[in-house]
Amino acid sequence: MGIHGLSFFIKSFPSIVDNIQWEIDLLAPSTPRDHFIVDGNAFVYHIAFENRIDWTHGGQYATIAHVVENFASQLLQAGIKMTFVFDGALPEDKIKTRIKRQKSYIERCVTTYSNLKQINASNKNPEGRLDGIQYYGDLFLIPPLTLEVVVQTLRELNVEIKICEAEADGEVVSLAIEKMAYVVSQDSDMHVYPNVGKGYIPLELLSVPTSDTAEDERRISASVFRPEAFATLLNIEPTQLPLFGTLLGNDYLDSGSIRYPINQWYILEGKGAQNIKTNSSGWPKVVADFINKNSHEGTENIIKNIVDQLKPVIMDSSMKSKEQKAANLEDQIVDSISRYDTRSPLLHKYKQILDKTNQDENTTQIETILKQSKHYSNGFSRQTMDVIKSKTFWASIFLEDIEREFSWDVSRYLRQGLYDAISESMEGDEQPWVVEEQVREKQHLDIVQVTRESRQRKQNKLEDFYSLHNSHSLHLTPHNSILHPFILSMRYMIYHCSQSIYHGRLYNYEIIAMIVSGLKSLAPILGYTSSEVALPTMGIPTLKKRSIHLAAQFQSIVYSSYLLSQVLDIPNHFQLPHVLSHIYNGLYFHYYIEYARGGASIGKLLSGVFSVKFKTLFCKVYYSVMKDLEEEVQNVFDYGVMASVEQWLTTLDNKPKRFMQSQKSLSQRPEKKKRSSSSTTLNSRNNNAFNVLSFGCNFDDL
């Protein structure tokens, strides 16, 4: 979350910034001129936010991939080498911060969902739609596949990537120092590291041209911050910057716990209290002055002096839990400084304590599992590493129907396979495996506990992978491997929406629409040109509650399948170039469902398709997706599906007739499987690996 108020303060002092430019050559220099160490997670959020048009439809991932490709291409042409460093498992001391963020994301989801009417109205106004409420910065939710799309795209570009076992901040700075490189991030914490290599470049102050930029303007420019200049401004030593950041308030020492004691100390001691400025522009200088006033006994004694001065103030105050805050103050300050600089001269007295604290017996578990995997050089996704290290799965929060079950519910069976595979790979772990899934429940954050139970396995991992998707290799054999992830995800969704979700059965027109949407999104990487499969001419589709939830469910299935494929080492799946970035297109998804809901023929849905081969592909994919799943679908329209492709092709343009259905037939859907306090099977038609127990732990109560 950064350092409280620091970004605002620094913007008031442009004199400490160096502006640097790199000229772009058409041919990349053979030897790099510079090196950027990029905070991968900050980069992902930055480009997602900057390209958030139509984010409410679920994500335009091909656009995000294109932005990444342009960024990498321009930097290479400027002679800049890149290393992207991504976060791994969530550290235990950041759980409260994560919970706070997840709760804020749920609030955003609720607010956006509650304003769909206003959002749809703004989308109909081409000139003013970017002023719609959904584009307010405090409502934006990053589409769920964005991080993995960016990582996968960078791998396809052969850009150097490192996945950390925990948070990436420290590793980013360490690499910048080692390589004498620039740190590129969007984190105010970077301002208080005493050494950041050649300097720190905030992403918002890094300008990278696009391929459309005029030739005479094709250069990369950046504003660079260096710790020496900042420390001089504050009149402290660069080595004291971590202490300065700590006393301002960060993830390790809450600003509310430290600001009052410092302010009160000035008043009680009469040390210039009348000149104290407690606003955002003045308080950082007060903190710097406070450090100076407690530096009279040398560097090694600064922490002790500060603690000795502030403890009595805290104890004499009316602060809540003041005894605990006073007792923990020194440890919190030491821990916080060590996050920025483990070799800080301020910490010499605490070296033995820090050495013992930094020993982490769990870090080898991730390495052990990775060494068993062909993906050792690439690393696992962040969610997988959380499961390995803390047996926790954090379901990403995105726009969905808040009146229904959480969208990740439908994809749990895939994650059960994920947990099963991980638990088998954990050496020496004899404890019962219980994974806590952190999910949205209505309008709050909830825990669902998933416990292990035996499951019948297939003979090899690939067959088991297909089985977990309610599929077999015969469903995939006729098709290009690029289509395999899409077919598996569709088959899984049809079956589990019917069997695992109350009133969740899909309508047949939704399946038709989703197949058309998916194939049109995948068309470019399947080799179809725009003259064969033209881009649809459409406005901005209306956001409907059911379509929103279907989009969130589908993406949770894709994500869970992607994670499972990593752990099981499934080749030629989402690792194929461009597949992950093209498997879902938010505008297409909502447009074709809306069009199909109105009774459009398949021929109408395929308008703009001039390739008989593509129409044939649609028919074949439909057969594979629907084989043996006809009973799991609610038929609304009769599309005249024929036994052979040749016959069906001749009737695609026929307008489908609506089935006449009784109220009784409409209500004949699977009942929701009730959760209980005892072990119950999620799906009676499959012997699942894990059972699900919901204990109703509401984080709003913490």
Side-chain angles (χ1 to χ4, degrees):
M1 295 180 69
I3 296 173
H4 187 75
L6 187 55
S7 294
F8 178 84
F9 173 76
I10 285 180
K11 288 178 181 178
S12 303
F13 299 95
S15 61
I16 66 172
V17 179
D18 288 333
N19 296 309
I20 299 180
Q21 293 185 342
W22 294 264
E23 296 296 328
I24 293 177
D25 300 326
L26 291 178
L27 296 176
S30 56
T31 303
R33 299 166 182 159
D34 265 316
H35 193 168
F36 282 3
I37 310 297
V38 184
D39 180 336
N41 295 80
F43 175 77
V44 169
Y45 189 87
H46 175 76
I47 65 168
F49 185 78
E50 292 297 311
N51 298 274
R52 63 189 183 280
I53 294 178
D54 302 317
W55 71 265
T56 49
H57 289 79
Q60 301 302 111
Y61 297 113
T63 299
I64 292 296
H66 178 71
V67 171
V68 174
E69 290 166 356
N70 177 77
F71 182 89
S73 172
Q74 298 298 312
L75 262 64
L76 287 173
Q77 290 183 37
I80 300 172
K81 181 180 178 180
M82 292 159 283
T83 300
F84 283 78
V85 185
F86 290 89
D87 290 337
L90 183 72
E92 186 176 352
D93 56 16
K94 285 297 186 76
I95 290 177
K96 288 185 178 180
T97 301
R98 173 70 65 84
I99 289 172
K100 185 176 181 180
R101 286 179 178 174
Q102 293 290 89
K103 288 170 62 177
S104 73
Y105 297 157
I106 291 174
E107 291 173 0
R108 296 183 188 190
C109 172
V110 171
T111 303
T112 305
Y113 180 83
S114 302
N115 286 277
L116 287 180
K117 185 176 180 180
Q118 180 180 341
I119 291 170
N120 284 326
S122 69
N123 281 336
K124 293 179 181 178
N125 179 8
E127 296 181 357
R129 77 183 191 91
L130 294 183
D131 295 325
I133 187 175
Q134 69 271 34
Y135 295 114
Y136 295 178
D138 56 356
L139 282 187
F140 174 66
L141 290 167
I142 188 167
L145 299 178
T146 307
L147 172 62
E148 304 302 345
V149 166
V150 171
V151 172
Q152 187 68 20
T153 303
L154 290 170
R155 284 177 175 154
E156 292 166 8
L157 296 171
N158 293 317
V159 174
E160 185 178 1
I161 289 176
K162 180 171 184 178
I163 311 291
C164 298
E165 287 206 355
E167 285 198 309
D169 290 5
E171 187 64 25
V172 167
V173 173
S174 295
L175 281 174
I177 295 171
E178 177 187 339
K179 308 292 185 182
M180 198 49 191
Y182 291 95
V183 168
V184 180
S185 183
Q186 192 63 52
D187 190 345
S188 56
D189 281 304
M190 293 300 171
H191 289 293
V192 299
Y193 278 87
N195 187 351
V196 287
K198 293 186 76 172
Y200 163 50
I201 300 174
L203 281 160
E204 65 179 356
L205 299 178
L206 173 63
S207 176
V208 178
T210 65
S211 56
D212 299 329
T213 304
E215 195 69 32
D216 59 345
E217 297 178 2
R218 284 173 54 79
R219 64 183 62 86
I220 293 170
S221 60
S223 297
V224 181
F225 294 85
R226 295 185 173 87
E228 297 81 9
F230 188 37
T232 299
L233 172 71
L234 297 171
N235 193 30
I236 61 176
E237 297 296 324
T239 56
Q240 295 172 343
L241 285 173
L243 176 59
F244 167 77
T246 298
L247 297 180
L248 274 182
N250 57 11
D251 286 351
Y252 312 103
L253 184 62
D254 182 63
S255 62
S257 299
I258 194 67
R259 185 164 180 156
Y260 171 80
I262 293 176
N263 184 62
Q264 195 67 12
W265 178 83
Y266 270 91
I267 295 173
L268 293 174
E269 296 294 320
K271 297 179 181 295
Q274 67 278 7
N275 297 320
I276 291 179
K277 294 182 179 180
T278 58
N279 56 21
S280 298
S281 61
W283 184 250
K285 288 197 172 183
V286 172
V287 172
D289 180 68
F290 178 70
I291 291 173
N292 278 323
K293 282 182 166 59
N294 285 278
S295 302
H296 55 281
E297 293 184 13
T299 300
E300 292 188 4
N301 295 308
I302 293 178
I303 296 176
K304 183 179 182 302
N305 288 343
I306 288 175
V307 171
D308 289 345
Q309 296 296 327
L310 295 184
K311 266 189 175 183
V313 178
I314 295 173
M315 291 303 297
D316 289 340
S317 73
S318 58
M319 295 174 68
K320 187 178 179 180
S321 305
K322 60 184 179 181
E323 293 83 1
Q324 182 180 1
K325 288 179 178 177
N328 294 338
L329 181 60
E330 185 171 17
D331 289 342
Q332 287 181 308
I333 293 175
V334 169
D335 177 57
S336 176
I337 294 173
S338 69
R339 306 301 179 117
Y340 303 109
D341 185 9
T342 55
R343 298 181 179 180
S344 171
L346 280 68
L347 301 178
H348 286 171
K349 288 187 174 182
Y350 306 93
K351 187 175 185 304
Q352 290 184 342
I353 299 174
L354 288 171
D355 289 344
K356 183 178 181 180
T357 303
N358 288 334
Q359 293 175 357
D360 189 348
E361 60 186 7
N362 289 325
T363 56
T364 57
Q365 291 286 13
I366 296 174
E367 294 177 355
T368 299
I369 298 176
L370 284 172
K371 287 177 181 177
Q372 301 170 15
S373 164
K374 295 174 185 177
H375 304 295
Y376 181 68
S377 60
N378 292 337
F380 288 142
S381 296
R382 186 178 187 179
Q383 271 84 348
T384 302
M385 296 175 77
D386 280 330
V387 174
I388 295 171
K389 194 165 185 179
S390 63
K391 298 179 183 177
T392 305
F393 181 85
W394 296 86
S396 60
I397 306 297
F398 192 65
L399 182 60
E400 58 188 44
D401 188 341
I402 59 173
E403 298 167 0
R404 290 186 56 183
E405 79 291 335
F406 55 94
S407 59
W408 287 84
D409 196 6
V410 72
S411 56
R412 181 180 290 114
Y413 190 56
L414 291 173
R415 294 193 301 284
Q416 291 170 334
L418 171 73
Y419 307 152
D420 194 12
I422 292 174
S423 67
E424 289 185 348
S425 302
M426 299 283 277
E427 295 181 355
D429 189 351
E430 299 178 357
Q431 297 295 321
W433 250 73
V434 179
V435 176
E436 290 189 344
E437 294 195 336
Q438 312 276 359
V439 300
R440 175 197 65 82
E441 182 61 35
K442 298 299 182 183
Q443 299 186 24
H444 61 261
L445 197 61
D446 201 0
I447 291 178
V448 173
Q449 291 194 336
V450 186
T451 60
R452 186 178 181 186
E453 188 178 280
S454 61
R455 176 176 67 87
Q456 186 176 358
R457 309 293 179 77
K458 299 297 181 180
Q459 291 183 349
N460 60 58
K461 289 183 177 181
L462 187 59
E463 289 183 7
D464 204 39
F465 182 70
Y466 294 155
S467 176
L468 286 164
H469 290 78
N470 197 54
S471 302
H472 188 276
S473 59
L474 294 177
H475 297 116
L476 306 175
T477 302
H479 302 288
N480 187 317
S481 56
I482 288 173
L483 291 168
H484 291 186
F486 178 73
I487 293 171
L488 290 173
S489 297
M490 284 298 302
R491 287 185 58 81
Y492 179 95
M493 185 169 184
I494 292 168
Y495 182 79
H496 281 276
C497 277
S498 172
Q499 291 295 318
S500 305
I501 304 299
Y502 178 63
H503 281 193
R505 185 176 292 181
L506 298 179
Y507 299 122
N508 66 337
Y509 70 81
E510 292 170 335
I511 295 167
I512 293 286
M514 289 170 69
I515 293 174
V516 172
S517 167
L519 291 181
K520 284 204 171 184
S521 184
L522 289 164
I525 64 172
L526 286 167
Y528 291 95
T529 64
S530 57
S531 60
E532 294 174 307
V533 181
L535 296 177
T537 54
M538 58 183 181
I540 306 302
T542 302
L543 291 164
K544 300 286 188 180
K545 294 178 181 180
R546 181 173 172 87
S547 298
I548 286 172
H549 207 70
L550 289 176
Q553 287 178 315
F554 180 72
Q555 293 194 72
S556 84
I557 291 166
V558 169
Y559 206 151
S560 298
S561 178
Y562 175 75
L563 298 178
L564 179 61
S565 71
Q566 285 184 329
V567 174
L568 291 182
D569 270 341
I570 304 302
N572 300 322
H573 193 56
F574 282 111
Q575 296 79 11
L576 291 171
H578 312 298
V579 169
L580 192 61
S581 59
H582 285 75
I583 197 169
Y584 176 86
N585 180 301
L587 291 177
Y588 289 6
F589 188 94
H590 287 268
Y591 170 74
Y592 285 111
I593 287 182
E594 181 180 344
Y595 202 8
R597 185 187 295 114
S601 68
I602 294 174
K604 287 284 188 182
L605 295 175
L606 290 172
S607 62
V609 174
F610 305 102
S611 167
V612 176
K613 181 182 176 183
F614 188 84
K615 293 180 179 180
T616 301
L617 176 65
F618 165 82
C619 296
K620 290 181 176 180
V621 169
Y622 178 85
Y623 290 147
S624 293
V625 166
M626 288 300 301
K627 185 173 177 57
D628 303 323
L629 294 176
E630 292 83 1
E631 297 300 317
E632 310 298 342
V633 177
Q634 184 71 47
N635 288 317
V636 177
F637 295 106
D638 181 3
Y639 289 99
V641 179
M642 301 290 188
S644 71
V645 172
E646 291 75 17
Q647 291 177 309
W648 196 15
L649 282 173
T650 63
T651 66
L652 291 181
D653 290 329
N654 294 349
K655 185 173 178 61
K657 295 181 179 180
R658 183 181 289 270
F659 284 108
M660 297 298 294
Q661 294 174 314
S662 66
Q663 190 65 32
K664 181 179 179 181
S665 66
L666 287 172
S667 64
Q668 288 178 346
R669 294 173 176 171
E671 292 184 4
K672 185 176 179 63
K673 310 302 185 290
K674 295 182 179 179
R675 294 170 181 158
S676 68
S677 58
S678 59
S679 293
T680 56
T681 307
L682 177 68
N683 182 346
S684 60
R685 292 178 60 174
N686 284 287
N687 188 16
N688 286 351
F690 286 78
N691 289 334
V692 180
L693 305 174
S694 178
F695 288 87
C697 176
N698 184 352
F699 281 124
D700 291 342
D701 298 332
L702 295 182

